[in-house]
């Protein structure tokens, strides 16, 4: 196996280096974060740094890049406190990717790419109608990361929408049945297959497939 040292990595051309580093951490969930500003103007962007923080309370975080690079989602979340996270399916992955373009604040990515805002059960932020798995969040905390001027944005899950046929008897969601996609780096999208599920692991017994 080839060894890559930091010293070598730092000599690489910046886009090559970014692709290498961005994909090294592996497959990630990828979703559209949907918001609106105080005037009701909607905004949509692709985000793949989404991470489970805890299940009770149900907390989800994502990393927002520095404000000069990705200003609109974070500003809207700060202003209105509510946002939605919408899984991406193959039928609209191309236009979902297009929402990562730097559109002017006055332009809604919903209109620019042709996705449909959907307001459900009076939740303040719009959902993406085309998405088959989506959830609404209320902002809890924005933690600036001084190291590189990014932000860890943490929200509490308030509601979720998905087809019941993907829920297993124990509550586990078979996301591959909903065709939810995964991503790697900042431009690669994957369809998924379940390989295996295992019993809760305990030291005294090797856990078995369920
Ligand atoms: C696959 C993919 C994943 C991305 N993940 C993130 C992310 O986790 N955090 C982030 O700040 N930007 C991410 N971006 C870039 C944003 O989509 C882009 O900066 C977008 O314009 C942000 O828009 P905003 O200014 O409306 O917030 C990603 C882009 C792509 C294509």
């Amino acid at each position: 196996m080839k060894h890559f040292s930091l010293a070598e990595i730092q000599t690489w051309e910046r886009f090559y280096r970014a692709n290498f580093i961005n994909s090294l951490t592996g497959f990630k969930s990828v979703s559209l974060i949907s918001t609106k500003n105080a005037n009701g103007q909607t905004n949509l962007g692709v985000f793949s740094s989404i991470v489970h923080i805890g299940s009770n309370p149900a907390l989800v975080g994502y990393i927002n890049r520095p404000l000069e690079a990705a200003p609109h989602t974070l500003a809207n979340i700060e202003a209105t406190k509510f946002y939605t996270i919408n899984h991406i399916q193959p039928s609209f992955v191309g236009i979902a990717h297009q929402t990562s373009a730097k559109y002017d604040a006055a332009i809604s990515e919903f209109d620019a790419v042709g996705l449909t805002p959907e307001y459900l059960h009076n939740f303040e932020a719009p959902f993406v109608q085309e998405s088959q798995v989506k959830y609404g969040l209320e902002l809890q905390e924005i933690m600036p990361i001084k190291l590189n001027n990014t932000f860890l944005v943490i929200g509490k899950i308030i509601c979720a929408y998905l087809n019941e046929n993907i829920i297993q008897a124990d509550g586990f969601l078979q996301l591959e049945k909903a065709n939810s996609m995964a991503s790697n780096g900042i431009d690669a999208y994957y369809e998924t297959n379940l390989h295996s599920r295992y019993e809760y692991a305990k030291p005294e017994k090797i856990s078995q497939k369920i």
Side-chain angles (χ1 to χ4, degrees):
M1 208 177 269
K2 179 160 167 50
H3 164 240
F4 297 93
S5 67
L6 176 60
E8 179 184 350
I9 290 170
Q10 280 175 332
T11 66
W12 292 346
E13 186 273 330
R14 62 185 272 250
F15 291 109
Y16 182 92
R17 183 178 62 225
N19 278 332
F20 184 97
I21 296 296
N22 287 343
S23 47
L24 188 60
T25 47
F27 300 114
K28 298 182 286 278
S29 58
V30 63
S31 289
L32 289 166
I33 300 190
S34 172
T35 55
K36 63 177 185 183
N37 70 15
N39 300 322
Q41 158 90 44
T42 58
N43 188 84
L44 203 55
V46 191
F47 291 81
S48 63
S49 60
I50 299 165
V51 62
H52 167 86
I53 305 265
S55 47
N56 189 22
L59 299 175
V60 172
Y62 82 91
I63 299 291
N64 203 105
R65 295 159 73 210
L67 276 181
E68 56 277 17
H72 304 138
T73 301
L74 187 55
N76 290 353
I77 291 173
E78 265 190 301
T80 64
K81 310 294 180 214
F82 292 93
Y83 53 110
T84 71
I85 299 186
N86 305 265
H87 287 204
I88 295 172
Q89 276 81 36
S91 57
F92 61 93
V93 62
I95 54 177
H97 180 77
Q98 182 59 29
T99 67
S100 64
K102 278 196 176 119
Y103 288 100
D104 191 82
I107 295 173
S108 169
E109 288 83 356
F110 277 106
D111 301 330
V113 308
L115 286 165
T116 317
E118 179 185 43
Y119 290 91
L120 298 171
H121 294 107
N122 294 324
F123 193 76
E124 286 79 349
F127 290 88
V128 176
Q129 189 179 69
E130 289 80 358
S131 174
Q132 296 302 303
V133 178
K134 44 203 172 194
Y135 47 106
L137 300 108
E138 181 178 11
L139 175 66
Q140 303 297 298
E141 196 170 340
I142 297 174
M143 302 175 72
I145 299 173
K146 288 196 202 104
L147 213 52
N148 62 354
N149 296 324
T150 58
F151 302 86
L152 172 60
V153 182
I154 302 177
K156 183 165 76 176
I157 297 177
I158 301 293
C159 56
Y161 294 88
L162 47 88
N163 283 326
E164 278 178 298
N165 65 4
I166 72 162
I167 311 175
Q168 290 199 336
D170 64 355
F172 177 80
L173 299 180
Q174 285 179 285
L175 293 178
E176 73 283 3
K177 273 195 175 177
N179 294 318
S180 288
M181 301 193 85
S183 72
N184 190 14
I186 53 156
D187 58 13
Y189 299 88
Y190 294 79
E191 294 182 290
T192 58
N193 286 309
L194 176 68
H195 179 272
S196 43
R197 288 189 74 197
Y198 281 87
E199 294 170 333
Y200 184 81
K202 294 176 187 160
E204 62 274 14
K205 176 180 174 284
I206 301 294
S207 62
Q208 301 296 307
K209 277 188 186 177
I210 52 175

